[in-house]
């Protein structure tokens, strides 16, 4: 049960006259003991708990809302539910910090004390402020989900829950009952109350009111529950505003009801033209009188009840116009007894205004009669609410007798019942619901039982006689006041223009005319448009056209609800290393690498990125630098066949790698394109420690698992991610040996005793055991110190202290990128893009020809053996101070770059570009077609306002001989 | 969103899994002996079935195990779940 009801809102006590001229003296499901005050369009009004904004407006004598979107025609309230096309609100936030909500139908917004809103002309405004309201998510499993708590849904929920099945009943209204809330028969109200009490008493039943099931896919349903929207300022601060329920149900019963259709005739959009069923709801549920003298217009039986209820409420009924030449005699007799004239076989052809505000004043019939009125209550038939059924892939068929699309066949685990199934008679709706509930319980493994149903007479509704288009004057192409979609101001003339342009499909015509694309998604206009299109195309039935596709959400859902708590710092996890607090204290600027926060550079007083990076690079090349390399992916690999496995994954050989040694490796996907690279250490015969690029750690682990599990299950090898378990500190530069010697006093650090690409275990001066590798991503003498993450910060501090005599300089990712680029080391994902082979990178030396590996066969495909593929090469801008923007396209010299002579052939693009302290100039890496055969050529980077010329070079700019790595 | 029964962990939300494409497409025993067309067939060509389709999934956010699923590509109904290396079961 939803815990928060309008009864708990803080009312202003009042027993004084309400000042509501159209409030009926008695009746309605409102609490007259409490008066609520609200402001709509700057005018104050009063109402009662149980009112919507729309019913309160009507009670206060205001049917008119903002004018229409394009034509600025006067418009009024049409409906009493989510199908309302005209009365849309911009609703101010109910409590401080709540955003204003645009485009809410006044017919569903519950009145609360202090409510402030304005009516909209079809367009709302997003609140530019930050929405402070909280939204939550729930995930639940249930045996039976019942959508809709009208007669069929209540019967289904009672039947399904009778034997202990878990049942979830959701309904968009604040109280249960659906269409029964609009009935005058007290026995029905009693049954609803009894059903609600019974359901509340059953422990396995949960009822969600103010909750809309808006999306269905198989057995998975999303429900938006509005918890505090109706409470205004009285909403408890600790309760989230709305909740998104993710529901898994074994069985689903859809009892979503039906929406009434308007009719299309000249000037059918005036205030005072309403749906007949809505008029009945306003009379009986809200106790308000929308008009004093009504004309009814109908194609079916349902409007006769409205006529009788209007009379009972004291309104005059000028006539009931029925399109059927021979309406059921029993109905004619019943309304006749109430003094209501039935005009059979007739239709309204047009309307006239009563006053300057445009409110309806009279109607004209096709038999020439004119009738004065201030209300035209029309029923053009009923559309079953098949949205969720269709989302669940249920198919529809056209039912002539009801003139509507109805479910063609039930689905296995989802039943449609009641008015949603095209059933018009109340007794039949109740019975269908009860049967479906019993069946749903059985389908989920529980007994069900038919509940006691209210005694209502069985009626057999006579067939509809739809009139889709009432002719006006002249040709249909000129009928610009015959409205099809009130919210989009689309008319019969628009439909004719679309069909005249050759369109035949409702999907095309919908997009061309915009019919059905408003906030209401064509709830009142969709099938009406079908009827008009069928008339335009000369089709026998609107059913021949089919429907447009029903997509989620059924009614609008806010992004804030979708996001829930996953906003701000909870939007995405943030990963930091154990050394992070030190980086923050040192004033580092950070960059996001995947979810990691990595130090980008460490500016000193007044330094910008450029100055800081030049200083950091100089330190690493001439003294010593240190970098937090913890974010590299790390995978611990164990098993008898671990070496053989890596041999099959990497392009180069790993099976014979010596224990205690490290090797750089490249792995490809099966298509031969470079996927990842990194250094792998052999710790024991059956134990490896593999590193990946920072952004690819999870993907590489998945890749290894995939081959291990699906292709080579016979190999004994397992994988464990240890990225979080190790902190890695790179100590880089000519003075790094001195620093590492000081940090690891027991370790022999000479080039002979601790050669390049080997690994040593050592105990550091702070007592922490470490694994130290001699690897280099800069070309300089360098060490990577790995310690357990617990000791990461203290070890970083120890290294930093030990480096002080040498001026050790912490550096970030930008300096790392410059140092590696000076050496021509590519970064996978920056200098490659999934279309680059090892050969393209100039790394054929790493590709074994003596073994198979994943991707090898692809390196012999006709496309990969071409010698003019894009190659990774270096670029030196002719102007040594000019920096090429990364990503910029490159063209050959002499190529015209004008719109007239196009397209411009592109040679490739810049992948990395930096200022180099060591080179004292700018440089770049680029992927260029046939690049290795263009060394020495000039290419151009057109930048719009200027062009940078650059010379193609080898990709290694610094220490080509590799003389520096041993210090 | 699908509810997928991992053969090791039981029914879990689709968001815990990654999709792995068509099942039962074995890595060729001797790729280097294949001609270009046959290798390209392995690399690039997969069935595009309307109806029951055997496909691979991996329980990435759970046990990290790969397994096979027969799913109807029209309705997304999961007709069978079975372990890697097992035969595709007969489904209706």
């Amino acid at each position: 049960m939803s815990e928060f009801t309008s009864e708990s809102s803080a009312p202003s006590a009042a027993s004084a006259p309400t000042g509501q001229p159209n409030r009926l003296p008695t009746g309605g499901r409102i609490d007259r003991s409490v008066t609520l005050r609200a402001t709509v369009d700057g005018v104050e009004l009063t109402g009662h708990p149980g009112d919507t904004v729309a019913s309160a407006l009507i009670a206060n004598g205001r049917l008119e809302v903002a004018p229409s979107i394009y034509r600025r025609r006067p418009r009024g309230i049409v409906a009493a539910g989510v199908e309302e096309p005209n009365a849309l609100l911009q609703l101010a936030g109910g409590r401080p910090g709540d955003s204003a909500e645009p485009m809410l139908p006044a017919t569903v917004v519950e009145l609360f004390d202090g409510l402030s809103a304005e009516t909209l002309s079809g367009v709302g405004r997003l609140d530019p402020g930050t929405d402070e309201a909280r939204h939550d998510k729930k995930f639940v499993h249930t045996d039976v989900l019942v959508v809709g708590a009208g007669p069929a849904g209540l019967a289904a929920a009672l039947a399904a829950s009778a034997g202990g099945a878990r049942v979830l009943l959701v309904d968009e209204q604040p109280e249960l009952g659906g269409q029964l809330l609009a009935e005058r028969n007290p026995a029905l109200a009693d049954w609803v109350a009894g059903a609600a009490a019974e359901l509340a008493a059953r422990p396995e039943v949960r009822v969600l009111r103010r909750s809309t099931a808006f999306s269905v896919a198989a057995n998975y349903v999303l429900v938006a529950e509005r918890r505090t929207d109706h409470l205004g300022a009285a909403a408890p601060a600790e309760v989230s505003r709305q909740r998104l329920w993710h529901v898994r149900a074994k069985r689903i019963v859809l009892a979503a009801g039906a929406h009434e259709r308007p009719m299309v005739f000249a000037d059918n959009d005036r205030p005072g033209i309403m749906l007949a069923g809505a008029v009945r709801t306003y009379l009986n549920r809200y106790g308000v009188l929308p008009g004093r003298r009504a004309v009814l217009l109908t194609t079916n039986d349902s409007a006769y009840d409205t006529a009788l209820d209007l009379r009972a409420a004291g309104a005059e009924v000028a006539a009931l116009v029925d399109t059927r030449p021979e309406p059921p005699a029993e109905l004619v007799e019943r309304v006749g007894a109430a003094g209501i004239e039935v005009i059979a076989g007739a239709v309204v052809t047009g309307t006239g205004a009563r006053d300057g505000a445009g409110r309806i004043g009279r109607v004209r019939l096709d038999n020439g009669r004119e009738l004065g009125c201030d209300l035209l209550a029309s029923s053009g038939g009923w559309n079953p609410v098949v949205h969720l059924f269709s989302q669940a892939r249920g198919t529809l068929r056209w039912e002539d007798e009801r003139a509507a699309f109805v479910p063609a066949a039930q689905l296995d685990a989802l039943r449609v019942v009641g008015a949603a199934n095209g059933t018009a008679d109340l007794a039949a709706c109740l019975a269908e619901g009860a049967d479906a509930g019993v069946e749903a319980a059985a389908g989920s493994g529980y007994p069900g039982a038919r509940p006691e149903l209210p005694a209502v007479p069985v009626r057999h509704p006579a067939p509809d006689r739809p009139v889709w288009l009432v002719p006006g004057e002249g040709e249909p192409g000129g009928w610009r006041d015959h409205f099809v979609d009130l919210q989009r101001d689309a008319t019969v003339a628009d439909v004719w223009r679309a069909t005249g342009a050759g369109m035949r499909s409702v999907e095309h015509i919908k997009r061309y005319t915009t019919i059905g694309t408003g906030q209401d998604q064509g709830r009142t206009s969709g099938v009406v448009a079908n009827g008009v299109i069928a008339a335009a195309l000369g089709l026998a039935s609107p059913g021949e056209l089919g429907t447009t596709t029903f997509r989620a959400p059924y009614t609008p859902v806010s992004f804030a609800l979708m996001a829930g708590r996953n906003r701000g710092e909870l939007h995405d996890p943030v990963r930091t290393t154990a050394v992070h607090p030190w980086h923050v204290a040192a004033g580092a600027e950070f960059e996001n690498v995947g979810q990691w926060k990595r130090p980008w550079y460490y500016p000193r007083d007044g330094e910008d990125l450029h100055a800081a990076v030049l200083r950091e690079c100089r330190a690493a090349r001439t003294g010593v630098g240190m970098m937090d390399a913890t974010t590299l992916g790390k995978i611990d690999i164990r098993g008898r066949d671990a070496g053989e496995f890596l041999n099959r994954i990497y392009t180069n050989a790993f099976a014979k790698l010596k224990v205690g040694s490290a090797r750089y490796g490249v792995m490809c996907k099966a298509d031969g394109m470079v996927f990842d690279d990194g250094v792998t250490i052999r710790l024991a015969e059956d134990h490896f420690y593999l590193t990946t690029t920072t952004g690819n750690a999870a993907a590489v682990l998945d890749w290894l698992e995939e081959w291990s599990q699906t292709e080579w299950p016979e190999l004994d090898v397992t994988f464990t991610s240890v990225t979080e378990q190790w902190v890695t500190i790179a100590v880089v530069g000519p003075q790094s040996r001195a620093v590492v010697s000081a940090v690891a006093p027991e370790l022999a650090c000479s080039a002979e005793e601790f050669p390049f690409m080997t690994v040593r275990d050592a105990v550091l001066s702070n007592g922490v055991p470490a694994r130290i590798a001699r690897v280099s991503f800069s070309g300089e003498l360098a060490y990577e110190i790995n310690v357990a993450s617990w000791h990461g910060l203290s070890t970083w501090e120890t290294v930093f202290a030990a480096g002080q005599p040498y001026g050790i300089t912490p550096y970030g990712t930008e300096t790392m990128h410059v140092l590696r680029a000076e050496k021509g080391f590519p970064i996978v994902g920056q200098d490659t893009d999934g279309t680059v082979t090892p050969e393209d990178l100039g790394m054929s030396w790493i590709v074994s020809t003596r073994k198979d590996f994943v991707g090898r066969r692809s390196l012999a495909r006709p496309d990969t053996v071409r010698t003019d593929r894009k190659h990774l090469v270096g670029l030196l801008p002719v102007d040594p101070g000019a920096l090429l923007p990364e990503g910029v396209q490159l063209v050959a010299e002499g190529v015209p770059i004008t719109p007239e002579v196009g397209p411009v052939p592109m040679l490739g693009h810049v992948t990395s570009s930096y200022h180099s302290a060591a080179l004292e100039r700018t440089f770049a890496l680029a992927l260029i077609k046939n690049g290795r055969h263009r060394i020495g050529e000039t290419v151009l980077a057109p930048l719009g306002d200027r062009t940078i010329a650059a010379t193609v070079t080898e990709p290694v700019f610094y220490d080509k001989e590799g003389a520096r790595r041993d210090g | 969103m699908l509810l997928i029964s991992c053969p090791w962990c039981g029914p879990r939300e689709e968001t815990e899994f990654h999709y792995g494409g068509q099942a039962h497409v074995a890595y060729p025993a001797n790729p280097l002996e294949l001609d270009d067309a046959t290798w390209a067939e392995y690399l690039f060509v997969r069935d595009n079935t309307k109806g029951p389709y055997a496909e691979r999934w991996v329980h990435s956010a759970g046990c990290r195990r790969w397994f096979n699923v027969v799913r109807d590509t029209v309705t997304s109904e999961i007709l069978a779940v079975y372990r890697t290396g097992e035969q595709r079961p007969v489904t209706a």
Side-chain angles (χ1 to χ4, degrees):
Chain A
M1 295 285 286
S2 180
E3 309 91 306
F4 305 97
T5 63
S6 55
E7 288 80 16
S8 66
S9 65
S12 46
S15 53
T18 61
Q20 300 169 17
N22 290 340
R23 182 73 70 183
L24 294 169
T26 58
R29 306 183 64 80
I30 50 168
D31 179 0
R32 292 168 193 261
S33 69
V34 174
T35 296
L36 307 173
R37 293 172 207 284
T39 308
V40 177
D41 291 331
V43 179
E44 288 197 7
L45 56 80
T46 59
H48 302 294
D51 265 326
T52 62
V53 172
S55 68
L57 281 169
I58 293 172
N60 286 259
R62 292 164 59 190
L63 202 61
E64 290 79 5
V65 297
S68 70
I69 179 167
Y70 300 122
R71 303 272 299 276
R72 314 310 285 187
R73 306 249 307 184
R75 290 285 164 82
I77 296 163
V78 169
V82 296
E83 70 274 31
E84 171 63 37
N86 284 340
L88 297 168
L89 300 180
Q90 179 93 9
L91 183 66
R95 50 186 177 183
D98 284 359
S99 287
E101 287 287 322
M103 301 295 276
L104 298 177
T107 48
V108 301
V109 173
E110 293 174 58
L111 195 69
F112 56 81
D113 204 52
L115 177 145
S116 174
E118 57 181 298
T119 60
L120 297 169
S121 291
V123 182
R125 297 178 305 278
L126 273 184
D127 189 328
T130 306
D131 189 353
E132 302 292 339
R134 279 176 294 125
H135 297 76
D136 276 326
K137 294 177 185 172
K138 295 263 283 183
F139 293 77
V140 294
H141 292 250
T142 187
D143 293 316
V144 180
L145 169 69
V146 179
V147 177
L154 280 175
L158 287 168
S161 61
R166 268 184 304 172
V167 174
L168 180 63
L169 173 63
V170 303
D171 189 272
E172 64 188 6
Q173 300 271 352
E175 60 177 326
L176 306 185
Q179 200 52 44
L180 297 180
L181 299 173
E183 294 282 346
R184 271 193 295 154
N185 179 355
L188 293 173
D190 289 347
W191 182 76
V192 170
E198 178 65 39
L199 291 169
R202 290 182 180 169
E204 296 298 331
V205 176
R206 191 199 294 262
V207 178
L208 295 179
R209 293 172 297 153
R210 300 185 175 92
S211 299
T212 305
F214 65 86
S215 168
V216 176
N219 72 334
Y220 175 66
V221 181
L222 293 174
V223 177
E225 179 196 13
R226 296 168 291 279
R227 305 179 77 198
T228 66
D229 295 67
H230 61 292
L231 298 178
E238 71 278 10
V239 177
S240 58
R241 181 181 188 177
Q242 297 184 1
R243 256 192 319 213
L244 181 62
W245 292 69
H246 297 251
V247 181
R248 297 271 182 196
K250 288 188 190 139
R251 288 288 185 277
I252 299 171
V253 179
L254 281 183
H259 291 149
E260 202 164 22
R261 293 192 294 255
M263 291 178 67
V264 180
F265 46 82
D267 296 310
N268 60 339
D269 65 329
R270 294 183 192 283
I273 301 179
M274 299 178 68
L275 295 169
V279 168
R280 198 158 178 248
T281 297
Y282 285 115
L283 291 172
N284 299 335
R285 177 170 174 188
Y286 298 110
V288 296
L289 190 60
R292 307 274 167 181
R293 180 179 161 85
V295 171
L296 288 111
L297 169 64
T298 190
T299 64
N300 63 84
D301 290 0
S302 67
Y304 285 77
D305 285 329
T306 305
L308 290 167
D309 291 348
L310 277 164
R311 279 300 295 132
E316 229 181 302
V317 175
L320 190 159
V321 181
D322 195 324
T323 58
R324 299 172 293 186
E326 291 177 13
E330 179 227 333
L331 293 178
V332 175
E333 205 171 297
R334 272 177 58 206
V335 299
I340 297 169
E341 178 195 2
V342 174
I343 305 173
V347 71
V348 169
T349 59
T351 66
R354 183 182 63 172
D355 53 33
R359 171 113 189 208
I360 191 169
R362 61 189 181 279
V363 299
R364 206 167 44 248
L365 306 187
D366 58 342
N367 61 12
R369 275 182 71 175
E370 283 215 7
L371 301 165
C373 63
D374 63 355
L375 177 68
L376 173 59
S378 75
S379 177
W382 294 81
N383 293 331
V385 176
V386 293
H387 301 63
L388 298 179
F389 174 74
S390 293
Q391 285 181 28
R393 308 191 57 82
T395 54
L396 304 175
R397 68 180 171 83
W398 181 256
E399 163 66 50
D400 259 328
E401 191 159 302
R402 293 275 74 84
F405 288 102
V406 300
Q410 298 285 356
L411 301 172
D412 288 344
L414 184 150
R415 295 261 132 184
V416 190
V417 295
N421 195 32
T423 304
D425 173 46
L426 176 57
C429 286
L430 289 161
E432 258 182 42
D435 290 345
V438 171
E439 188 186 87
S444 60
Y446 289 88
R450 280 185 67 125
E452 195 178 318
L453 298 174
V456 288
V458 175
R459 287 190 194 169
H460 298 288
D464 286 27
R465 179 170 179 262
V467 175
W468 299 109
L469 177 55
V470 180
E473 289 171 18
E475 294 301 311
W479 295 347
R480 296 188 68 242
D481 298 332
H482 283 59
F483 285 87
V484 179
D485 187 331
L486 294 171
Q487 192 167 126
R488 302 297 309 162
D489 258 356
T491 65
V492 169
D494 296 321
V495 171
W496 244 258
R497 199 164 59 241
T499 56
M503 290 174 215
R504 294 294 179 270
S505 148
V506 283
E507 297 282 7
H508 291 153
I509 295 168
K510 165 184 172 175
R511 283 154 181 81
Y512 189 72
T513 61
T514 76
I515 289 170
T517 62
Q519 176 271 0
D520 60 348
Q521 288 288 289
R523 266 183 273 281
T524 53
S525 62
V527 175
V528 171
N530 267 38
V532 174
I533 295 164
L537 298 177
L539 303 178
S541 156
E544 292 180 31
L545 290 158
T547 65
T548 53
T549 307
F550 294 98
R551 293 193 181 88
Y554 165 61
T555 49
V557 178
S558 74
F559 281 110
L561 176 61
M562 298 281 192
R565 305 278 177 131
N566 300 101
R567 48 189 289 189
E569 61 177 8
L570 297 180
H571 174 64
D572 198 34
V574 172
R575 301 174 80 184
T576 58
T577 76
V579 193
H580 190 72
W582 194 95
H583 303 319
V584 172
E589 294 290 329
F590 290 88
E591 77 166 331
N592 295 325
V593 182
Q595 293 169 331
W596 289 102
K597 293 273 177 218
R598 297 197 70 179
W600 187 18
Y601 60 100
Y602 297 81
R604 290 187 182 163
D605 296 338
E607 278 184 338
D608 59 5
L609 168 73
H610 179 63
V613 168
L614 286 179
R615 172 178 53 75
E616 292 173 9
C617 285
R618 212 171 288 124
R621 291 267 184 243
T622 62
V624 60
M626 63 190 295
M627 188 192 67
D628 185 355
T630 303
T631 63
L632 285 179
K634 309 181 200 80
I635 301 172
D636 193 86
I637 303 177
R638 291 176 196 249
R640 192 180 60 242
D641 300 315
E644 169 63 19
F645 180 86
L646 291 175
N647 219 35
R648 297 183 190 183
I649 289 287
Y650 277 122
T651 63
N652 48 337
F654 271 80
K656 289 176 186 154
L657 179 64
K658 286 203 195 78
V659 172
S661 284
R663 185 166 289 168
Y664 171 75
V666 167
M667 56 180 82
C668 294
K669 288 279 172 107
D671 60 6
M673 303 304 156
V674 172
F675 166 50
D676 202 68
D677 70 343
V679 169
T680 292
I681 297 167
R682 188 168 214 164
L683 298 169
E685 269 307 307
D686 59 352
H687 188 187
F688 290 79
Y689 176 82
L690 178 150
T691 61
T692 76
T693 53
T694 296
N696 246 355
V700 171
L701 180 63
D702 284 351
W703 182 243
L704 302 181
E705 289 282 12
E706 179 179 347
W707 286 88
S708 166
Q709 291 178 36
T710 68
E711 295 295 347
W712 308 317
E714 70 280 5
L715 296 186
D716 173 27
V717 56
T718 58
F719 313 91
T720 308
S721 168
V722 292
T723 303
E724 308 275 354
Q725 279 68 29
W726 293 92
V727 157
T728 304
I729 301 164
V731 184
V732 177
Q735 302 289 353
S736 60
R737 180 172 287 129
V739 176
V740 171
S741 298
V743 173
E746 309 282 305
L747 184 65
C749 283
S750 72
E752 297 72 32
E753 289 167 293
F754 189 175
F756 186 58
M757 293 308 255
T758 60
V759 184
R760 299 286 181 267
D761 286 337
V763 177
L764 305 183
S765 58
N766 61 349
V768 171
R771 179 185 293 161
I772 303 178
R774 255 203 71 195
V775 295
S776 176
F777 195 39
S778 59
E780 301 296 330
L781 174 68
Y783 300 82
E784 284 186 4
I785 303 172
N786 295 276
V787 296
S789 289
W790 301 113
H791 308 301
L793 181 54
S794 101
T795 302
W796 176 276
E797 287 168 342
T798 301
V799 173
F800 186 69
Q804 286 311 305
Y806 310 96
I808 196 165
T809 302
Y811 68 85
T813 51
E814 189 68 16
T815 291
M816 175 190 78
H817 280 182
V818 177
L819 296 176
R820 64 87 203 176
E822 288 172 345
K823 286 290 289 178
F825 296 152
I827 288 190
V828 172
Q830 173 162 341
D831 301 297
T832 71
D833 60 4
T835 68
V836 177
T837 67
E839 171 77 17
D840 297 341
L841 294 175
M843 293 171 69
S844 47
W845 54 269
I846 206 168
V847 178
S848 170
T849 53
R850 291 201 292 274
K851 57 151 193 170
D852 193 17
F853 58 84
V854 174
R856 177 170 173 191
R857 175 64 184 83
S858 291
L859 299 178
R861 294 181 59 240
D863 186 55
T864 46
V865 297
R866 280 191 297 116
T867 57
D868 61 346
R869 289 173 61 83
K870 283 186 182 175
H871 301 142
L872 186 73
V873 292
L875 288 179
L876 287 173
V878 173
D879 170 0
L883 185 70
L884 287 160
E886 289 175 354
V888 70
Q889 295 289 321
L890 300 167
V891 301
E893 272 189 309
V895 173
I897 305 169
T898 63
E900 292 75 30
V901 189
V904 181
M906 302 293 173
L907 293 180
H909 70 280
V910 173
T911 59
S912 299
S913 177
Y914 310 99
H915 290 276
S916 166
L919 307 177
E920 296 184 316
R921 59 159 301 140
T922 58
F923 73 107
L925 298 175
L927 284 169
I928 297 183
K929 263 182 214 163
N930 203 25
R932 280 200 288 279
H933 307 112
R934 291 182 192 269
I935 305 291
E937 287 182 19
T938 301
V939 293
L940 303 178
L943 299 174
D945 55 341
R946 67 205 157 101
T947 297
I948 297 178
T951 307
V952 180
T953 69
E954 300 282 349
V956 184
F957 296 93
Y958 184 76
D959 184 30
K960 287 184 177 144
E961 312 73 35
R964 304 185 59 82
R965 71 172 199 209
D966 286 329
Chain B
M1 184 158 56
L2 300 176
L3 187 70
I4 301 172
S5 279
C6 170
W8 308 90
C9 306
R12 295 288 189 276
E13 297 285 340
E14 181 182 337
T15 50
E16 294 188 13
F17 299 85
H18 281 144
Y19 185 66
Q22 185 175 356
H24 308 297
V25 181
Y27 185 63
N30 293 301
L32 299 179
E33 292 165 16
L34 301 181
D35 62 27
D36 286 334
T38 312
W39 178 248
E41 181 83 11
Y42 163 74
L43 272 187
F44 303 123
V45 180
R46 295 293 181 270
D47 293 341
N48 186 19
T49 305
K50 184 177 183 182
Y53 185 60
E55 60 195 19
R56 306 185 310 160
W57 288 81
V58 58
H59 195 185
S60 311
C63 63
R64 301 213 318 256
R65 300 291 291 184
W66 285 84
F67 59 95
N68 297 323
V69 167
V70 178
R71 182 178 61 95
D72 189 315
T73 59
V74 177
T75 63
S76 268
E77 186 186 355
I78 290 175
L79 305 171
V81 173
Y82 55 106
R83 295 179 184 187
T84 297
E86 291 179 356
Q87 291 269 316
R88 173 176 173 166
V90 177
T91 51

